[in-house]
Amino acid sequence: MWQDITHWLSQNTWAQIILIIIFAYVARHFGRMLLVSFIRRTVRYRAHGDLSEEDSKKRQDTLIGMFSAILGVMIWLIAVFSILRQFIDLTPLLAGISVIGVAVGLGAQAIIKDFIAGLFVILENQYRVGDIVNLDGSDGRVEEFNIRSTVVRDNDGSVHYIPNGTITHSINRTMGYSRVNLTIEVDPDTDVDKLSLIINEIGAKMADEDKWRGKIIEAPHFQSISNFTPKTLEVKIVGKTQPSAQWNVSGELRRRLLTAITRKGDALKIVQPDVTPSDESKNKK
């Protein structure tokens, strides 16, 4: 029976082509499953120290996307060559492949450059899928990373496709941890000791609450007076959060500070922006 099936397949070109496509699809599917399993089990470390659970998943997703694309290209190239063998003799083509390789290499230098640059991004763990980055002025979240480009979506929802080989400066805002870096302006008559106590109490209380405990690594606290003028004091507040959590923490901190300082009276009043004469006239109208 098997001999009959083998003989039939050897005589039926289209049946062989269908089998090649099926095998390629199955190999791609199960190869990706094995790749995902291998990466999920092995990626536990990075150059800057042990990976947090979120950092680990970002790096795993980035590696999976990169190597899945490479695996898919390799499998389908083999499938295409296997199908071509059913119709033409590939020996002359393989004999001249060096000439073709030179021609393709000259015409695809940018693609090769993008691929090599992408490998260095992976090996050095510069950024991962899900990170908030600035890539040569393009700010946003990394949505996709592949062998040719990095896809970044900015705050307006616009999508930037950036060739890996063109990136000369990358800033990762969510590597390992993020920082609260907040400056508020208060009345120059403010009691700084009292203000620092309020700030530290609010930060400590937030860090102890269930909603914020998992996001705050180091409670926001008073650091220093960063600047002062006859009209204002600039107060610096700092803290440490989980990656990407600094914006939510800073927003909640501002809200609580505004409420607390307002309740303490004029001595701790937050300075309001000056109103220009043109604005005043508009308000009167």
Side-chain angles (χ1 to χ4, degrees):
M1 178 180 176
W2 287 109
Q3 291 179 347
D4 294 337
I5 294 175
T6 303
H7 178 73
W8 178 77
L9 285 174
S10 64
Q11 300 299 318
N12 194 320
T13 301
W14 290 107
Q16 294 179 38
I17 292 173
I18 292 172
L19 279 177
I20 290 171
I21 294 173
I22 292 173
F23 282 136
Y25 176 81
V26 172
R28 173 75 176 84
H29 178 72
F30 284 100
R32 188 178 188 282
M33 287 178 59
L34 292 173
L35 182 66
V36 170
S37 177
F38 176 76
I39 291 175
R40 296 285 189 212
R41 289 175 179 272
T42 55
V43 176
R44 302 294 180 199
Y45 178 82
R46 62 183 173 87
H48 303 286
D50 292 334
L51 285 166
S52 67
E53 184 176 350
E54 184 177 356
D55 281 337
S56 178
K57 187 175 186 308
K58 285 180 181 179
R59 182 154 173 75
Q60 289 168 4
D61 291 342
T62 305
L63 289 169
I64 288 168
M66 181 79 165
F67 289 107
S68 291
I70 295 173
L71 177 65
V73 169
M74 292 175 59
I75 288 175
W76 287 111
L77 277 177
I78 293 172
V80 167
F81 275 102
S82 298
I83 291 172
L84 288 176
R85 287 182 59 189
Q86 307 301 317
F87 300 99
I88 60 175
D89 183 7
L90 294 180
T91 304
L93 179 62
L94 294 175
I97 199 165
S98 59
V99 178
I100 297 173
V102 171
V104 171
L106 291 174
Q109 289 182 11
I111 296 176
I112 295 170
K113 180 181 178 182
D114 292 338
F115 175 72
I116 294 174
L119 285 179
F120 276 105
V121 170
I122 290 291
L123 293 173
E124 296 174 1
N125 196 27
Q126 296 177 17
Y127 53 84
R128 299 72 50 93
V129 172
D131 278 339
I132 306 297
V133 299
N134 182 301
L135 304 179
D136 287 335
S138 296
D139 247 319
R141 183 184 297 275
V142 178
E143 287 201 340
E144 183 182 342
F145 181 86
N146 54 54
I147 59 176
R148 199 190 72 81
S149 63
T150 300
V151 182
V152 175
R153 185 181 296 273
D154 63 25
N155 290 333
D156 295 327
S158 302
V159 178
H160 303 256
Y161 293 86
I162 309 169
N164 296 326
T166 66
I167 299 171
T168 58
H169 184 206
S170 61
I171 300 173
N172 191 331
R173 305 188 191 280
T174 54
M175 176 66 76
Y177 64 87
S178 299
R179 293 194 69 87
V180 172
N181 195 358
L182 183 62
T183 300
I184 62 172
E185 294 183 350
V186 296
D187 191 280
D189 294 329
T190 295
D191 184 334
V192 176
D193 291 334
K194 189 175 181 181
L195 177 61
S196 65
L197 182 62
I198 292 172
I199 293 170
N200 293 341
E201 285 179 350
I202 292 174
K205 185 177 180 181
M206 280 186 64
D208 195 46
E209 292 178 2
D210 291 339
K211 181 179 179 180
W212 301 101
R213 186 182 297 119
K215 298 180 180 179
I216 297 176
I217 299 173
E218 179 185 294
H221 57 277
F222 173 89
Q223 184 184 52
S224 64
I225 296 175
S226 58
N227 195 14
F228 64 90
T229 69
K231 293 184 178 181
T232 64
L233 291 177
E234 291 185 1
V235 176
K236 190 83 166 178
I237 303 170
V238 297
K240 189 183 292 186
T241 72
Q242 295 292 346
S244 305
Q246 71 269 37
W247 296 290
N248 288 336
V249 172
S250 296
E252 177 65 13
L253 184 62
R254 286 190 186 95
R255 186 187 70 80
R256 297 191 184 198
L257 282 171
L258 180 61
T259 302
I261 292 175
T262 302
R263 288 175 180 172
K264 298 298 180 180
D266 293 338
L268 297 176
K269 182 170 61 178
I270 293 179
V271 174
Q272 300 297 326
D274 291 334
V275 180
T276 62
S278 59
D279 292 331
E280 290 180 350
S281 60
K282 289 178 183 178
N283 292 334
K284 288 179 181 178
K285 293 179 181 179

